[in-house]
Amino acid sequence: MTTTPDIWEPLEPALSVRQVLTLERVLAGEPEVVAGASHLDRPVRWVHVAEAADVGVMLSGGEMVLTTGVLLAGDEEKQAEYVRSLHRAEAAAVVLGLGRAFPTAPDVMRRAAERCGLPMVVLHRPFPFAELTEEVQSRLVRRKFAAVSLSEAVRTELTALITAGAPLQRLLDEVARHSACPVVVTNLAHRVLGTAGERPAVDDVLRDWERIARQAGGTEGDGWIRAELGGRGERWGRIVLCGYRGDTATGRLLADRAAESLVLHRMLGGGAACSWEEQSAQSLLTDLVSGIVPARQLLPRARAAGLPVNRRTFVPLVVRDGDTARLDRLLRLLGLPGLVAELADGATAVLLSLPRDQDAGALAAHFAARLRTESGRARTVVAAADPRVVWDDVPAGLREAQHVADAVAGSAAALDLPPVVRLRDVHLRGLIRLLRDDPHVQSFAERELDGLLRETDEDLLSVLRTYLATGRNKSRTAQLHHVSRPALYRRLEAIQVRLGVDLDDFEQAASVHIALLAHDAQQQ
């Protein structure tokens, strides 16, 4: 029965030249580094015994070459060329067994190795090369098998998650668990679509993400390992393991398995890459609105998601029954930087990030006007909070905009509201919305409306709602309900009888109006 390595920790890096020299069998040969001491951390991919002067043509890179130099003795040019050919073939090191051919380290080979930066090691005691080859090869084979086993384990687990319908975040969390480092998914413009890993480590990576990503884009140094996302000849993103501490080859296997799974996840989900952008924005804005995570801690995520945050004016907006895709397209069309995300209860949040020299109010109004045109709904209302210039104030602004949107939900058609509704526009309705969960308010609403609620007469409730919302304008109410004035009078009379009130009395009408606002707020 075979076992896979502990998937909570990455595999140790491949054997380096330095590590090979510490093996017990090698120490028995009394190894001495005579050149290239600063390059001993090179990984050893294989061990190869070779005596031919043109050994380089037989190598593919990463080999530790063992030789007695028997074919090089007495020919300094061959000795120098031997070292140069190893350098050209990108060998990891050369190990020379001292003996009859070379009783001491040859100066020509030592100087050539130092110039090339190739580690050169001499063995002072006779040493069977077969033992060293067997020891290193067996270790390398075991490590390669362990890496492949880990790769297959990751593939199996990710496939199971996809089959079970797991969201993108769940897959990324699993990749981060296996790699033990931050994991980032981006589009081709380096905009972050998803992250996973320990939150402090992820925030460190995201703090200056675009610069870091572009700087590390062409290399895989310092554990930055990436795999492309795409299919049918088209790339649309990449996954990056940030600071992977294990063997680079194993890291590439993990990244490749993760990339395969993410592409499959997208294909089975039937969505486009932009849906991951929507998920990223939704996660960020939801966290901002909830206030569970301090705004300051969310700043790296906002910056990495492509939202400009330095010296900006932030405009929190909430649109009721808005289409997320349409809102996102409209932002792009108008050239307004921002994030769009669907919140709970059919609300869609829009966070604009504008240069401070622009008129935030005018741009919000222009956005609302274009939204009405694009959606074909003349009464579409955009709720807004006052602009914020400090990032830490954005969560309160989003909650305020959401409160305003909730306050006018379902009543915009009966109210004379501006296209962009703010807290000052909702007046009493906004206050009632805030107090809707208070038991005293609930009891008051039930008591005042009991005559209508007991028989659940929705037609009379609708007439009462319109009549009070229009300022007790009978003509306007009759027009909106498509009834004659005499018919409206009969309905108003029935309402007054059931409630036991006189709607011509301002105080009594105000009391009923407040109760109806509270009742409607409790139903939302």
Side-chain angles (χ1 to χ4, degrees):
M1 178 178 177
T2 59
T3 59
T4 58
D6 186 351
I7 58 179
W8 288 92
E9 293 292 339
L11 293 176
E12 291 297 323
L15 286 175
S16 65
V17 175
R18 189 188 307 277
Q19 289 173 315
V20 171
L21 298 181
T22 62
L23 297 178
E24 186 175 351
R25 290 186 180 181
V26 179
L27 290 175
E30 297 181 8
E32 178 189 0
V33 179
V34 296
S38 61
H39 300 278
L40 295 181
D41 291 321
R42 286 181 174 179
V44 175
R45 189 182 61 82
W46 207 243
V47 178
H48 190 68
V49 179
E51 302 289 355
D54 58 348
V55 62
V57 300
M58 296 181 270
L59 307 179
S60 57
E63 295 90 351
M64 173 178 277
V65 177
L66 311 180
T67 182
T68 62
V70 65
L71 299 182
L72 304 176
D75 191 330
E76 293 188 348
E77 179 55 35
K78 281 187 178 181
Q79 296 169 24
E81 178 55 28
Y82 185 86
V83 173
R84 288 193 295 265
S85 68
L86 293 179
H87 172 64
R88 289 193 297 269
E90 298 182 348
V94 58
V95 178
L96 175 65
L98 300 181
R100 286 180 298 174
F102 292 103
T104 60
D107 287 339
V108 172
M109 293 183 68
R110 183 180 55 77
R111 288 195 299 268
E114 193 64 47
R115 284 194 298 270
C116 293
L118 177 72
M120 180 175 175
V121 181
V122 296
L123 301 175
H124 289 278
R125 295 177 63 85
F127 186 87
F129 285 167
E131 292 186 9
L132 174 57
T133 302
E134 179 185 7
E135 175 79 9
V136 176
Q137 310 297 52
S138 63
R139 287 174 179 261
L140 292 175
V141 168
R142 286 199 301 271
R143 299 190 62 75
K144 188 170 184 179
F145 175 76
V148 172
S149 297
L150 174 60
S151 170
E152 289 306 309
V154 171
R155 172 184 279 159
T156 300
E157 292 181 18
L158 293 181
T159 301
L161 288 174
I162 294 171
T163 304
L168 171 65
Q169 187 60 53
R170 182 68 183 85
L171 269 66
L172 296 183
D173 288 340
E174 193 68 15
V175 175
R177 184 174 75 88
H178 282 284
S179 62
C181 69
V183 175
V184 178
V185 174
T186 77
N187 61 16
L188 296 182
H190 303 287
R191 180 173 177 179
V192 174
L193 307 180
T195 63
E198 294 184 3
R199 196 72 255 168
V202 172
D203 288 344
D204 285 342
V205 169
L206 297 183
R207 196 156 282 118
D208 195 11
W209 169 254
E210 185 168 349
R211 181 188 64 80
I212 294 174
R214 292 186 185 279
Q215 185 176 351
T219 65
E220 288 194 344
D222 299 326
W224 283 68
I225 300 173
R226 62 193 51 75
E228 301 298 324
L229 304 176
R232 298 177 181 176
E234 180 183 2
R235 293 188 303 120
W236 42 264
R238 57 178 60 88
I239 181 170
V240 186
L241 308 185
C242 307
Y244 180 73
R245 299 192 306 273
D247 173 35
T248 299
T250 303
R252 288 198 190 103
L253 281 174
L254 284 174
D256 288 343
R257 295 296 84 77
E260 291 171 3
S261 299
L262 294 185
V263 171
L264 179 61
H265 182 272
R266 178 192 174 194
M267 291 173 58
L268 294 181
C274 65
S275 66
W276 288 2
E277 294 179 356
E278 293 169 4
Q279 292 178 38
S280 175
Q282 182 177 20
S283 173
L284 174 61
L285 292 185
T286 299
D287 285 347
L288 279 170
V289 171
S290 69
I292 296 176
V293 181
R296 181 61 53 182
Q297 293 183 20
L298 297 173
L299 191 58
R301 286 172 58 189
R303 183 183 290 111
L307 186 73
V309 295
N310 295 329
R311 297 187 59 77
R312 309 291 286 191
T313 297
F314 302 102
V315 183
L317 308 172
V318 171
V319 181
R320 270 288 175 184
D321 302 319
D323 183 279
T324 304
R326 177 183 289 117
L327 292 172
D328 191 61
R329 286 195 300 270
L330 183 56
L331 285 185
R332 298 175 189 273
L333 179 65
L334 299 177
L336 297 176
L339 296 177
V340 179
E342 184 176 348
L343 303 178
D345 301 325
T348 302
V350 180
L351 179 60
L352 301 181
S353 174
L354 307 173
R356 291 189 179 177
D357 59 354
Q358 293 186 349
D359 188 334
L363 287 174
H366 181 54
F367 171 79
R370 286 296 298 269
L371 177 59
R372 290 200 305 273
T373 302
E374 294 283 333
S375 64
R377 300 174 183 172
R379 297 301 300 180
T380 297
V381 177
V382 176
D386 290 334
R388 265 60 175 174
V389 295
V390 178
W391 174 256
D392 288 348
D393 295 337
V394 169
L398 284 168
R399 288 192 290 271
E400 179 182 317
Q402 188 173 31
H403 164 64
V404 173
D406 291 344
V408 299
S411 304
L415 301 174
D416 185 18
L417 294 172
V420 179
V421 186
R422 303 184 186 278
L423 192 59
R424 59 179 175 271
D425 300 314
V426 296
H427 306 295
L428 178 62
R429 188 178 298 271
L431 176 63
I432 294 300
R433 177 74 188 187
L434 283 175
L435 299 176
R436 66 174 181 170
D437 294 325
D438 188 295
H440 295 90
V441 174
Q442 295 172 357
S443 176
F444 169 76
E446 291 291 324
R447 184 171 62 252
E448 288 290 302
L449 301 176
D450 180 64
L452 290 179
L453 298 178
R454 189 169 52 241
E455 298 183 22
T456 321
D457 195 327
E458 290 297 334
D459 180 58
L460 291 183
L461 272 175
S462 178
V463 169
L464 176 62
R465 187 179 292 111
T466 304
Y467 179 64
L468 295 174
T470 58
R472 295 184 294 172
N473 186 320
K474 294 183 175 65
S475 298
R476 179 61 176 158
T477 302
Q479 181 183 21
L480 290 174
H481 283 270
H482 306 288
V483 298
S484 64
R485 287 176 66 91
L488 175 65
Y489 293 157
R490 288 194 294 274
R491 295 182 187 185
L492 291 177
E493 182 63 29
I495 291 171
Q496 292 182 104
V497 169
R498 292 193 184 185
L499 297 182
V501 298
D502 179 5
L503 293 179
D504 289 329
D505 181 87
F506 176 78
E507 186 173 337
Q508 294 184 53
S511 181
V512 172
H513 192 189
I514 293 171
L516 186 58
L517 290 176
H519 169 74
D520 288 345
Q522 292 158 16
Q523 304 308 307
Q524 297 171 2

